[in-house]
Amino acid sequence: MNVLILNCSPVKTGATAEIVRIAAQSLAQRHTVKAVCIDDYSVSLCRGCRSCHTTARCILQDGAQQLMGEFQWADAILAVSPSYWADVPGQFKAFIDRCTPWCNTHEPHATLSPGKRGYAIALRTGPGTAECERIVQTLRHFYGHLEIQCAGSLSLPSVSCKEEVAPRIPEILALCQGI
């Protein structure tokens, strides 16, 4: 099985990247894994022209299409997102907006191959889980419009730096066991 792990943070060396590394290492024992960072792709902001609602294609050609190619390759997608003001980082939100051509709320729309499963890990610096759950809901909503079944999630509050990930490894590995 092909598994795409997406670091939704533009930071390639922080806590989110550490979680991606741990998940990739675990999943690579059983699957073909590709880990990428949203910052690896140059994604322009959606212009709101709605051209994709009639053509199922975006007028902008950039990293959004490349990243959707990775989604097409994958059988399972694990998105790992930190909290930026109680939601996904702006870079990832820009990518979500650019996925409108694949959104099942209008016809025609582009499609991914069926049967994909999505997973989410949300982390935040504070102790409560409400922000994490909001991020998970954003990812579930995103997956749903792409017709990707959200099959599991994990909330990791109280993680503000890479060093605070180590005590959470058992939780991360437990989620990975289900992928």
Side-chain angles (χ1 to χ4, degrees):
M1 178 168 71
N2 295 331
V3 179
L4 175 66
I5 306 174
L6 176 59
N7 177 350
C8 299
S9 168
V11 181
K12 296 181 180 185
T13 59
T16 307
E18 180 66 6
I19 293 167
V20 168
R21 185 192 68 74
I22 292 164
Q25 192 173 50
S26 171
L27 292 166
Q29 296 174 23
R30 297 174 288 126
H31 307 296
T32 302
V33 174
K34 182 168 190 175
V36 299
C37 179
I38 192 65
D39 202 49
D40 294 337
Y41 301 86
S42 176
V43 177
S44 300
L45 298 175
C46 176
R47 293 187 181 167
C49 69
R50 299 175 62 104
S51 175
C52 60
H53 286 232
T54 57
T55 65
R57 292 185 31 195
C58 185
I59 62 168
L60 303 172
Q61 297 297 304
D62 60 15
Q65 289 82 8
Q66 294 169 324
L67 188 49
M68 284 307 290
E70 303 293 357
F71 273 57
Q72 180 60 32
W73 168 83
D75 301 303
I77 297 128
L78 171 58
V80 184
S81 180
S83 174
Y84 278 33
W85 286 97
D87 214 330
V88 297
Q91 294 86 339
F92 185 66
K93 176 59 169 82
F95 169 68
I96 290 173
D97 291 345
R98 291 289 308 288
C99 289
T100 302
W102 290 270
C103 182
N104 64 3
T105 59
H106 60 81
E107 291 296 340
H109 68 274
T111 59
L112 295 169
S113 55
K116 295 182 184 299
R117 292 178 314 189
Y119 299 85
I121 297 178
L123 61 144
R124 71 172 297 244
T125 60
T129 60
E131 278 186 31
C132 290
E133 290 308 313
R134 181 172 173 177
I135 292 164
V136 168
Q137 287 306 317
T138 295
L139 292 167
R140 284 181 191 274
H141 185 86
F142 172 59
Y143 287 151
H145 283 299
L146 297 179
E147 299 181 356
I148 295 170
Q149 175 196 0
C150 191
S153 65
L154 174 63
S155 294
L156 297 174
S158 301
V159 176
S160 60
C161 62
K162 187 187 287 191
E163 293 73 26
E164 292 175 342
V165 172
R168 310 308 285 275
I169 290 175
E171 296 167 86
I172 298 164
L173 295 179
L175 178 71
C176 291
Q177 278 302 116
I179 299 176

